[in-house]
Amino acid sequence: MLFRSGGVQPPVNLYETSEGYVLTAELPGLRVEDIEITVERDRLTLRGERRIEHPADASVHRLERSGGAFRRTVQLPVEVDGEKVEATYRNGVLSVRIPKAPEHRPRRISVSGR
């Protein structure tokens, strides 16, 4: 995760398919219950908190893994169908499948011959 003022910002990738988009985010060390995803029209927002814990009596000699709360909003190219978004989280990587709204999906037009 990259540190920015205001907390940690997970790196994300966004891919487009004919049916929609796939967003992946690196979220190592988070639990599923620490992740919140919201979709509104053409925006997807990830929220969460990465906790860095150590024993209370420990002396910290190096602290390179940043922690804290984050909020990351990704602007999508078109409006999406928020009711059908699906997310999975495995091995520290969140994968979100985001279908395009029906009016933004390509339609196949049949051609008739005479």
Side-chain angles (χ1 to χ4, degrees):
M1 293 189 180
L2 303 174
F3 180 78
R4 306 262 166 95
S5 60
V8 292
Q9 294 294 313
V12 299
N13 291 337
L14 181 65
Y15 305 96
E16 183 174 3
T17 68
S18 60
E19 295 296 312
Y21 301 93
V22 177
L23 179 131
T24 58
E26 293 179 15
L27 301 171
L30 269 70
R31 300 171 302 165
V32 171
E33 52 273 6
D34 294 330
I35 303 167
E36 179 185 326
I37 304 166
T38 56
V39 177
E40 186 177 348
R41 298 170 58 139
D42 62 349
R43 293 177 190 255
L44 181 137
T45 300
L46 296 176
R47 286 185 184 89
E49 184 171 358
R50 181 174 177 190
R51 294 176 183 87
I52 304 297
E53 298 176 5
H54 56 276
D57 62 345
S59 296
V60 177
H61 290 272
R62 183 178 299 257
L63 191 60
E64 294 181 1
R65 295 177 57 224
S66 58
F70 66 87
R71 178 177 175 224
R72 179 96 194 251
T73 299
V74 177
Q75 179 79 41
L76 303 167
V78 297
E79 194 169 317
V80 297
D81 189 347
E83 296 296 319
K84 296 183 181 173
V85 173
E86 297 177 353
T88 57
Y89 181 64
R90 285 192 195 96
N91 299 324
V93 177
L94 176 70
S95 180
V96 185
R97 295 198 167 279
I98 313 156
K100 293 177 185 173
E103 60 271 16
H104 294 291
R105 291 185 190 155
R107 278 191 349 206
R108 184 177 181 136
I109 309 299
S110 61
V111 179
S112 61
R114 292 189 198 230

